[in-house]
């Protein structure tokens, strides 16, 4: 597993240099959100009501979520074909079409999470019970997501034969390995992301800008490693069951 994680970070760095325009998609959206946050005075006064409900910030937060998904199409292909940047960046069919379906589903889910009514309100629950239901739903979605990993990876690689049912069968027995990949491949960058955000509070303006540029780059790498851990987990599960993950 350690060699896989080293490969993940090395491939993410190589991808950012080989395909900087694609790498920059979440970086630019993240930085745009920081510009709005700085304008709202978030790093001087904290996250007040004006910042929480500012429409620009909310809209960019949704856009950032989607922007972090997009590079996954190219990065999964980049890892699958051993850093072949020319092949990775191609918009091929059926891979692009299949990924487009996944992207649309994710966009709908994220919109509901950010802008939809709270689950507790829909179910008519009290505040305390609603928080428990929300937490249980988040944990359940994470567990289901692990078993759908092979599906989410196979489609950007053009393999329509692996759908949700087959993905669940492939990932059975790989749960904790997938969790391990996810922790090692995302938690360090998440911690750095939060450290930069909280660390910028009350700093001089010039330092806030420098830290936000650094944070945007961290988010760009996080977008890649988040997709990369899924590829590693799915590839190992497929190898264990002697199944071809990529098409062609």
């Amino acid at each position: 597993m350690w060699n896989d994680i080293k490969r993940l970070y090395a491939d993410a760095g190589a991808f950012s240099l080989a395909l900087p325009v694609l790498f920059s998609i979440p970086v630019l959206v993240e930085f745009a959100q920081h510009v709005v946050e700085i304008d709202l005075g978030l790093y001087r006064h904290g996250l007040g009501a004006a910042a929480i409900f500012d429409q620009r910030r909310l809209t960019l937060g949704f856009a950032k979520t989607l922007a972090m998904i997009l590079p996954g199409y190219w990065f999964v292909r980049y890892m699958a074909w051993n850093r072949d940047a020319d092949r990775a960046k191609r918009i091929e069919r059926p891979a692009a079409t299949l990924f487009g379906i996944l992207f649309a589903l994710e966009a709908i889910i994220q919109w509901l999470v950010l802008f939809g009514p709270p689950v507790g309100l829909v179910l008519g629950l009290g505040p305390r019970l609603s928080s428990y239901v929300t937490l249980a739903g988040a944990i359940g979605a994470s567990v289901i997501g692990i078993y759908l990993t092979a599906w989410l990876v196979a489609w950007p690689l053009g393999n329509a034969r692996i759908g949700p049912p087959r993905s669940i069968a492939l990932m059975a027995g790989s749960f904790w390995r997938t969790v391990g990949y996810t922790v090692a491949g995302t938690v360090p960058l998440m911690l750095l992301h939060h450290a930069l955000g909280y660390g910028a509070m009350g700093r001089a303006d010039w330092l806030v800008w420098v830290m936000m540029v650094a944070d945007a780059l961290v988010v760009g790498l996080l977008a890649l490693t988040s997709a990369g851990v899924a590829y590693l987990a799915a590839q190992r599960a497929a190898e264990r069951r002697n199944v071809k993950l990529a098409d062609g």
Side-chain angles (χ1 to χ4, degrees):
M1 181 179 285
W2 175 240
N3 287 333
D4 285 341
I5 296 302
K6 288 195 296 183
R7 179 200 171 188
L8 171 67
Y9 284 102
D11 282 358
F15 180 94
S16 67
L17 296 176
L19 298 167
V21 174
L22 303 179
F23 167 72
S24 70
I25 294 172
V27 175
L28 294 175
V29 178
E30 174 73 8
F31 187 71
Q33 187 178 37
H34 288 323
V35 171
V36 170
E37 291 170 344
I38 291 172
D39 182 60
L40 290 169
L42 185 149
Y43 297 102
R44 289 182 178 178
H45 312 298
L47 192 62
I52 292 173
F53 297 108
D54 184 82
Q55 194 60 43
R56 295 173 299 168
R57 184 172 179 271
L58 291 174
T59 301
L60 284 169
F62 177 60
K64 181 183 76 173
T65 302
L66 300 185
M68 290 188 69
I69 299 170
L70 272 177
Y73 170 80
W74 297 290
F75 188 57
V76 162
R77 295 163 61 82
Y78 187 75
M79 292 188 72
W81 287 300
N82 299 313
R83 299 191 183 183
D84 186 341
D86 289 333
R87 185 170 187 184
K89 68 182 180 181
R90 293 177 197 162
I91 305 298
E92 297 179 328
R93 287 184 175 82
T97 302
L98 295 170
F99 178 78
I101 295 171
L102 294 177
F103 184 82
L105 290 173
E106 186 65 28
I108 293 169
I109 292 170
Q110 291 301 323
W111 189 92
L112 290 172
V113 169
L114 290 172
F115 303 112
V119 175
L121 181 63
V122 174
L123 298 177
L125 304 176
R128 187 171 184 177
L129 184 56
S130 177
S131 64
Y132 291 147
V133 170
T134 300
L135 177 60
I139 294 173
S142 297
V143 171
I144 292 171
I146 287 176
Y147 287 102
L148 295 179
T149 297
W151 171 43
L152 301 177
V153 170
W155 278 25
L157 298 177
N159 187 354
R161 294 183 297 276
I162 298 179
R166 195 172 184 200
S167 178
I168 293 170
L170 279 174
M171 297 305 298
S174 297
F175 182 88
W176 291 112
R177 175 179 284 271
T178 305
V179 170
Y181 281 138
T182 302
V183 170
T186 62
V187 170
L189 292 175
M190 284 293 297
L191 291 175
L192 182 56
H193 169 55
H194 288 298
L196 287 166
Y198 288 115
M201 295 291 183
R203 304 292 182 182
D205 288 348
W206 70 268
L207 184 55
V208 171
W209 284 106
V210 171
M211 294 176 75
M212 292 306 98
V213 169
D215 184 54
L217 293 172
V218 169
V219 168
L221 287 174
L222 180 60
L224 299 182
T225 60
S226 297
V229 295
Y231 171 76
L232 290 173
Q235 181 60 32
R236 292 305 182 202
E239 288 175 353
R240 187 164 58 89
R241 297 181 181 276
N242 198 27
V243 172
K244 188 177 181 182
L245 193 62
D247 185 31

